[in-house]
Amino acid sequence: MKEYKYKINGNVYKVGIGDIDHGIAEVEVNGTPYKVEIEQKTTAVKVSAPKAAPAPRTASGEKVIAKPAPKATAGGTPVKAPLPGVVLDINVTVGQEVKAADTVVTLEAMKMENAIKAGVDGKVASVNVAKGDSVLEGAVLVTIA
């Protein structure tokens, strides 16, 4: 039984509230037991479906997230994002010669920096992302010819 002390018009009342069963509460006021009927008021609760948030956009209005590109392109070997993340740095430019072990992009994912390697020797044919872009897994970052 929970006990409370109330002061009403200068009088102190010691109130104990016991079990509540089927809308009837066992209440004790200054040692005198009472059975108190609790009025049950039902109110309808309207739940509406959540609205989808709009896709994030850059300051110029373009989509922030790059979509995964199709499989290999005829123009070269794509270097794809191995996991979703944010492009921190682009270490190559179009026309630059790269070796397989060279880091072409630095990608931040789960608060860790990931060095994305070229994977093949060749010349950078295109850079498909910009610094600060969010990319999904499989998005083509750079194409090497």
Side-chain angles (χ1 to χ4, degrees):
M1 182 174 281
K2 290 189 176 189
E3 294 190 8
Y4 304 92
K5 287 187 180 181
Y6 295 100
K7 189 173 190 178
I8 302 171
N9 293 332
N11 297 322
V12 177
Y13 296 93
K14 184 178 174 188
V15 179
I17 301 175
D19 293 333
I20 301 174
D21 189 28
H22 299 296
I24 308 265
E26 294 178 14
V27 178
E28 189 176 292
V29 180
N30 291 340
T32 306
Y34 296 94
K35 292 209 182 264
V36 178
E37 186 176 338
I38 299 172
E39 183 179 320
Q40 304 231 346
K41 190 190 264 186
T42 58
T43 57
V45 177
K46 183 178 180 182
V47 178
S48 59
K51 294 180 181 177
R57 302 274 179 175
T58 63
S60 63
E62 298 172 11
K63 290 183 180 178
V64 173
I65 298 177
K67 294 181 181 177
K71 299 285 182 189
T73 58
T77 304
V79 177
K80 297 181 180 182
L83 66 168
V86 177
V87 177
L88 288 182
D89 199 16
I90 300 170
N91 303 60
V92 294
T93 58
V94 175
Q96 180 179 340
E97 292 285 334
V98 292
K99 298 287 183 191
D102 290 348
T103 299
V104 292
V105 174
T106 304
L107 189 70
E108 179 185 9
M110 298 182 289
K111 297 187 180 184
M112 295 197 51
E113 291 184 14
N114 299 279
I116 310 302
K117 306 290 183 183
V120 295
D121 293 347
K123 185 184 279 190
V124 177
S126 67
V127 176
N128 304 323
V129 293
K131 190 173 179 179
D133 283 356
S134 292
V135 295
L136 297 174
E137 179 179 352
V140 177
L141 306 173
V142 175
T143 305
I144 299 175

